[in-house]
Amino acid sequence: MNRAFRAIVCSAAVGTLALGLSACSEAVDQVDKAVDETYEVTYEVTGKNIDSIEFHGGGGKAMEPKIESVSKPELPWKKTVTLRGIMPAAVMPVAADPEGSQITCKIIHKGKVLEEQSADGLVTAGGCTAESPITG
């Protein structure tokens, strides 16, 4: 009986391991698909006295996106970019003005505002970051 019990436990463990590996393989396939999928977002920045805008423009790796920059942008500023996979959408306007500044940024995907932030003051860095809609 002890030998039969061991055989059943061993068989169950092997079956569970196989099922776990199968589920793991499916998860890897889903991640691979998500990494290759692309999505578009539109960044919008409004305000006054903004010195620069930095944003994820689609280059680089998902967890190490290339940062693009625009100096002395004409406001309101709008840019549509194509991002890939799990790369988050991010835009950061920066201002340093003794008279004060105002910043509002938005990230829009398919007409829906994913993130919106506002800030004002002498030195202002207002940023918006949104999770990739592919991961949600």
Side-chain angles (χ1 to χ4, degrees):
M1 178 109 155
N2 192 13
R3 195 177 248 170
F5 179 72
R6 284 186 201 168
I8 292 170
V9 169
C10 184
S11 180
V14 169
T16 301
L17 179 61
L19 181 61
L21 289 175
S22 173
C24 183
S25 176
E26 289 175 23
V28 168
D29 290 344
Q30 289 175 347
V31 168
D32 283 345
K33 180 182 176 195
V35 167
D36 291 333
E37 194 173 338
T38 60
Y39 67 100
E40 273 191 359
V41 293
T42 299
Y43 302 129
E44 292 182 1
V45 176
T46 59
K48 69 175 192 170
N49 303 331
I50 296 174
D51 296 313
S52 66
I53 300 171
E54 294 185 342
F55 60 96
H56 292 172
K61 296 179 183 178
M63 297 311 291
E64 296 176 9
K66 179 182 175 190
I67 309 277
E68 295 186 30
S69 183
V70 176
S71 294
K72 301 290 183 193
E74 185 176 323
L75 298 174
W77 179 85
K78 185 186 272 191
K79 175 92 174 168
T80 299
V81 298
T82 300
L83 303 175
R84 188 172 58 89
I86 61 173
M87 181 179 290
V91 61
M92 189 174 92
V94 178
D97 192 303
E99 296 176 16
S101 59
Q102 296 173 335
I103 293 175
T104 298
C105 63
K106 288 183 187 180
I107 299 173
I108 302 165
H109 172 68
K110 293 184 177 180
K112 179 183 174 192
V113 176
L114 299 179
E115 182 68 21
E116 181 174 4
Q117 296 291 324
S118 294
D120 57 84
L122 297 178
V123 177
T124 306
C128 293
T129 302
E131 182 179 323
S132 166
I134 291 173
T135 63

